[in-house]
Amino acid sequence: MNSAKILIINPGSTSTKIGVHLDGEMKVNESVKHADEELRKFPTIWHQYDYRKEAILGVLSDNGLSVSEMNAIACRGGNVKPLPGGTYRVCNRMIEDMKSGIYGAHPINVGGLVAYDLGREHDIPVFTADPPMTDELCTSARYSGIPQIARQSSFHALNQKATARKVSVELGKNYQDVNLIVVHLGGGISVGAHRNGKIIDVNNALDGDGAFSPERAGTLPAGDLVKLCFSGEYTKDEVLKLLTGRGGLYAYLGTTNAIEIERRIAQGDQKAAEVYEAMVFQVAKEVGAAAAVLEGKVDAIALTGSLVYSKVLLESLLKKISFIAPVHLNPGENEMEALADAVLRYFNREEELAVYS
């Protein structure tokens, strides 16, 4: 049913991406940027509701479209309780969990509410797929080392799953029949061990676990982190910001922009070269760890995310991981297409809806 017209809503911290998918392609794919001074007017993310809704309706209007002509709405999954991967019908219980804030606060929650309300207003089904809290960890992956802390699954599940399915097709196999390592390289970095259609181990990329990234600190020496927390120099919020938002490349180089960093490297900036290589070094270690989790039985490694466009990063990373398995490149976020594909799999009866309970 490629003829289905699907409205896709994907809010981020500083933008709202809006797409319309029809006949196997994105007919509309726009990103509305939101200036910091505009967003600062809203005391909470929920106060952005009308602002985000107007952005979505504005893009549709500019393209001569309306919500009423859509066959479905797909929104990027919000902060909901841990659940298996799959395609879900957005329901009131899911919305209430987003509103509660128990599982985190992010503009994607607002996008989910806007999508849900538009669906009810126009009697259109609303779907989401593979939300960030997708949890398919094996039992061993949940242990941290102390009973008070359990490892959690929070990462780029939508793009990881979509990339895994795409690479499986390239291998001529079903996703449920392969072992893959999928590496999302963006503002955050996640490395997932995919075994027979399930992500049995992955770093908690939301909280900065794993390799450090352009804006996240990654796994830190535990003792030194504790000392930092109790040094009296930082508040709790300041420490959390160091971990996510002001860690990684930003902490060392004052920017998260890989193009800027590579320009510095080309001009002979040794510090920039060292930090960039250290990030690659840590990513490679995470890939090696995932290979061990899969007991060395790896059909392919897939690299996805915006940093895959970086030739400097790729050259170094491939030297370190290519011996494990063939490497497939799938640059970019690919979230809009992934949401459309999820809806089409349901419409075409290739996949049953998962139940949010």
Side-chain angles (χ1 to χ4, degrees), residues 80-84 88 103 133-135 142 152-153 356-357:
V80 295
K81 66 181 181 181
L83 42 75
Y88 291 80
Y103 305 104
M133 300 298 285
T134 292
D135 185 351
R142 299 184 186 280
Q152 296 183 6
S153 179
Y356 190 84
S357 59

Side-chain angles (χ1 to χ4, degrees), residues 30-165:
E30 297 187 17
S31 180
V32 179
K33 302 297 182 184
H34 305 308
D36 287 343
E37 55 268 25
E38 285 292 320
L39 295 178
R40 281 197 293 267
K41 296 177 182 178
F42 304 106
T44 71
I45 59 167
W46 296 107
H47 287 86
Q48 297 178 18
Y49 178 93
D50 291 332
Y51 179 71
R52 299 276 184 166
K53 184 177 181 179
E54 288 170 8
I56 294 163
L57 296 178
V59 167
L60 289 177
S61 178
D62 290 345
N63 286 275
L65 298 168
S66 65
V67 177
S68 60
E69 63 190 275
M70 302 296 157
N71 300 109
I73 300 174
C75 59
R76 186 174 164 215
N79 297 115
V80 295
K81 66 181 181 181
L83 42 75
T87 303
Y88 291 80
R89 184 83 174 255
V90 176
C91 61
N92 186 63
R93 187 167 183 177
M94 186 180 290
I95 294 298
E96 290 303 314
D97 280 349
M98 291 183 195
K99 287 181 177 180
S100 72
I102 295 173
Y103 305 104
H106 189 278
I108 52 176
N109 294 343
V110 182
L113 179 58
V114 171
Y116 183 62
D117 287 347
L118 288 175
R120 289 194 299 175
E121 181 181 345
H122 296 278
D123 195 24
I124 299 169
V126 182
F127 303 93
T128 190
D130 301 320
M133 300 298 285
T134 292
D135 185 351
E136 300 168 342
L137 297 182
C138 66
T139 300
S140 295
R142 299 184 186 280
Y143 281 82
S144 69
I146 59 173
Q148 295 90 332
I149 299 175
R151 291 191 62 229
Q152 296 183 6
S153 179
S154 184
F155 65 110
H156 312 90
L158 180 61
N159 194 31
Q160 284 240 2
K161 287 277 192 178
T163 299
R165 291 188 184 95

Side-chain angles (χ1 to χ4, degrees), residues 3-17:
S3 59
K5 187 177 289 186
I6 306 167
L7 170 63
I8 302 167
I9 299 171
N10 183 3
S13 297
T14 60
S15 67
T16 302
K17 296 177 183 176

Side-chain angles (χ1 to χ4, degrees), residues 24 232 313 354:
L313 181 148

